[in-house]
Amino acid sequence: MIEDIDPLLRENTMTDDKLENLRQHFRMLDNNKAVSELLIYRINFSNANIFQSLAPMLQKNRRLVNFILDQCELGLIGVSSLSFLLRKSSSIKHIYLSYNGNGNDSIGVLVAALNMLPELEVLDLERNRIGMHGCCILANMLKHPISEMKRIGLQYNRIDDEGAAISENSLRNNTKVTHMDLELKPDHFKAKSAFAKTHMQFNQ
């Protein structure tokens, strides 16, 4: 069962009525143990700390494996609230956080929560604002893996040749990750090592 949360909340302004409607919708899922995929789409969370309304569902539902947050403007407040929420789950395997405006500051907060998810296999962070500092934070997580992460998507961020090299180095002693997806300009990272060719996918 897939729960698609895309109510009449697409505008960037989150009014009090819309916010309360969303909280009520979240609370309706408290005892639903059949949802395996949760999709939250185009809702602005940057000034709305409401993820905690979903916490009971994540604690009770052991079938929830896919968590998708697409085209939501999180901001640091939203990421902090999301991190709190993710810590409540022990079953999530796939996390997709594309088009959410996550930058370097957000990654540090997010990684703290990801390290609490032992079942995590796929992390998709494409189309955000991750740069050098974010790469270093993710690299440290990948050098000391706690989860079962096998794939990480970083396409269409702000990662340059140096960031790609840091990412490559982080995987050398990681025996779990089999694919890292990156997008680089054609003139970047020309000297791809044999390791990079087998573990990293470059979309040019």
Side-chain angles (χ1 to χ4, degrees):
M1 179 178 178
I2 299 174
E3 182 67 18
D4 187 347
I5 299 178
D6 184 17
L8 299 177
L9 295 166
R10 294 193 176 209
E11 296 86 352
N12 286 333
T13 55
M14 182 72 78
T15 64
D16 290 342
D17 288 343
K18 290 179 181 178
L19 185 56
E20 183 54 33
N21 287 339
L22 189 56
R23 283 198 179 105
Q24 289 180 6
H25 189 91
F26 285 170
R27 285 194 289 265
M28 288 169 57
L29 298 173
D30 281 3
N31 295 307
N32 189 323
K33 298 180 181 180
V35 174
S36 61
E37 180 173 298
L38 181 64
L39 167 60
I40 302 177
Y41 178 65
R42 295 184 67 181
I43 297 176
N44 191 329
F45 286 105
S46 58
N47 295 309
N49 191 8
I50 60 173
F51 280 116
Q52 61 266 37
S53 301
L54 274 171
M57 175 201 174
L58 268 71
Q59 286 178 313
K60 299 174 184 178
N61 185 359
R62 294 293 181 263
R63 293 186 180 181
L64 181 64
V65 293
N66 295 333
F67 185 91
I68 304 169
L69 201 64
D70 188 27
Q71 298 184 49
C72 298
E73 190 63 34
L74 289 175
L76 193 55
I77 292 176
V79 171
S80 297
S81 187
L82 173 63
S83 296
F84 166 83
L85 175 66
L86 292 176
R87 292 169 189 260
K88 302 297 179 180
S89 174
S90 61
S91 61
I92 291 179
K93 294 185 177 182
H94 306 151
I95 296 179
Y96 302 91
L97 302 175
S98 58
Y99 275 112
N100 290 307
N102 296 313
N104 294 325
D105 292 339
S106 302
I107 293 302
V109 177
L110 185 61
V111 162
L114 298 178
N115 282 330
M116 304 291 288
L117 299 173
E119 299 298 319
L120 184 62
E121 295 180 358
V122 176
L123 174 64
D124 192 336
L125 293 169
E126 71 171 75
R127 298 183 188 276
N128 284 286
R129 301 167 189 163
I130 300 169
M132 176 63 66
H133 182 58
C135 279
C136 291
I137 294 173
L138 289 168
N140 187 61
M141 178 186 73
L142 294 172
K143 285 179 181 177
H144 307 92
I146 296 175
S147 70
E148 295 298 317
M149 193 185 305
K150 296 177 175 64
R151 189 176 196 117
I152 180 168
L154 295 170
Q155 308 99 307
Y156 308 107
N157 277 278
R158 298 175 179 177
I159 300 173
D160 58 10
D161 191 42
E162 188 176 357
I166 290 173
S167 300
E168 177 192 1
N169 186 58
S170 72
L171 296 180
R172 289 189 175 275
N173 294 315
N174 185 314
T175 60
K176 298 179 180 180
V177 174
T178 57
H179 290 87
M180 175 181 284
D181 298 320
L182 290 168
E183 180 271 338
L184 295 172
K185 294 179 181 179
D187 59 337
H188 282 165
F189 216 60
K190 289 182 179 179
K192 300 173 187 174
S193 66
F195 177 89
K197 289 178 180 178
T198 58
H199 288 74
M200 304 170 77
Q201 177 67 43
F202 294 87
N203 302 317
Q204 298 182 346

